[in-house]
Amino acid sequence: MKIYCTEDYDSMSFKAASLIAAQILLKPDSVLGLATGSTVLGIYHLISQWCADGVVSFAEIHSFNLDEYIGLAPGDPQSYHAYMRANLFDNIDAEPGNFYLPDGCADSAEEECRKYDELITSLGGIDLLLLGIGRNAHIGFNEPADAFSVPTHVTALAEETRRANARNFPSPEAVPREAITMGIGSIFSAKKILLVANGKDKAEAIRKAFTGSVTPQVPASILQLHPNVTLVGEMAALSELGV
Ligand code: GLP
């Protein structure tokens, strides 16, 4: 595993965005896995800028987002579909139809999960997967549990996660209770994983994920077994790693 410890949020975003840009330059038809949340906003901002400047092109890229809330339609302003449009897809030379998120309003969520995995597999799997991490060490919406869930699945959100994500909703009660998330299978099958973290409130999750036991109670700990993980973290987030 490679670890880059950066001084601040901006340098974390620059390092991670550079690694994604390098992936696109080396393989212009890469399949990317993409995350939402506040940590990755700086990365998307830089990539949008580089795309406008002609440094990178998404013309041949396909991407799969990690997750979507159940009950939020793609047009809902709080949906991850809307987040991705506003923060990345509308700003890049995206080929319509090549950027996928699970549909949180599908008639059958189970069928939607199955189709999502099939689509990822049919495109040859994910070349580079960008991950954030929750305070309870969730990745995607894989919450602490008694077992790792391998396929894309419907998951109940931990109360801690709902509280943390409430800042993006009109009220805490408005945060959905369930989501569709890529499972540990697609995450782990990604050829490269790039995990980013900033802020002191992620330090414990990072320590447990990368120095503790591999356990489904700490979902990100599975990454210790992956052969190609890069962690780009701002100092405060890595402060309990001893790097
Ligand atoms: C959400 C997303 C995750 C993300 C996490 C951290 O729960 N499902 O993919 O990594 O939040 O978000 P933030 O970057 O806002 O701390």
Side-chain angles (χ1 to χ4, degrees):
M1 178 172 131
K2 284 197 197 94
I3 303 177
Y4 293 99
C5 180
T6 69
E7 236 169 70
D8 53 23
Y9 178 78
D10 286 348
S11 43
M12 177 203 77
S13 302
F14 186 84
K15 183 71 203 175
S18 304
L19 294 172
I20 296 170
Q23 171 70 35
I24 296 172
L25 289 173
L26 290 172
K27 189 174 183 227
D29 60 348
S30 291
V31 178
L32 301 179
L34 298 175
T36 50
S38 43
T39 312
V40 293
L41 283 173
I43 299 172
Y44 292 155
H45 180 71
L46 281 169
I47 289 179
S48 302
Q49 221 171 352
W50 294 344
C51 209
D53 293 345
V55 178
V56 287
S57 168
F58 276 73
E60 296 175 59
I61 296 289
H62 286 81
S63 77
F64 290 91
N65 262 81
L66 284 159
D67 42 27
E68 178 57 286
Y69 292 107
I70 293 268
L72 299 193
D76 190 304
Q78 265 83 43
S79 69
Y80 283 159
H81 278 79
Y83 168 105
M84 288 307 296
R85 281 195 302 272
N87 295 301
L88 188 68
F89 299 156
D90 285 353
N91 315 326
I92 58 178
D93 54 342
E95 201 51 53
N98 286 357
F99 295 82
Y100 307 97
L101 289 96
D103 180 353
C105 282
D107 288 341
S108 160
E110 285 67 30
E111 180 65 5
E112 177 67 10
C113 293
R114 199 185 53 73
K115 283 196 318 210
Y116 205 63
D117 280 338
E118 275 178 13
L119 201 54
I120 296 174
T121 308
S122 72
L123 286 171
I126 295 168
D127 292 301
L128 175 65
L129 171 62
L130 173 64
L131 287 179
I133 187 167
R135 287 176 211 165
N136 61 3
H138 72 239
I139 44 177
F141 271 134
N142 290 272
E143 298 282 24
D146 292 337
F148 288 114
S149 291
V150 174
T152 294
H153 59 281
V154 174
T155 181
L157 299 180
E159 279 312 306
E160 189 183 356
T161 302
R162 293 187 66 238
R163 274 197 302 277
N165 292 2
R167 63 187 188 281
N168 304 317
F169 287 82
S171 70
E173 301 75 53
V175 183
R177 296 187 177 277
E178 289 184 315
I180 292 180
T181 183
M182 210 182 263
I184 294 300
S186 305
I187 292 176
F188 206 79
S189 306
K191 295 172 189 89
K192 296 177 205 156
I193 292 178
L194 171 59
L195 189 140
V196 289
N198 78 293
K200 182 79 187 138
D201 61 333
K202 297 288 174 72
E204 187 187 358
I206 292 289
R207 172 176 53 77
K208 285 186 177 164
F210 292 103
T211 67
S213 327
V214 176
T215 160
Q217 293 297 339
V218 181
S221 65
I222 192 78
L223 302 177
Q224 291 180 39
L225 306 181
H226 192 281
N228 194 330
V229 175
T230 301
L231 167 63
V232 180
E234 180 232 355
M235 250 180 221
L238 304 193
S239 57
E240 295 186 24
L241 269 191
V243 291

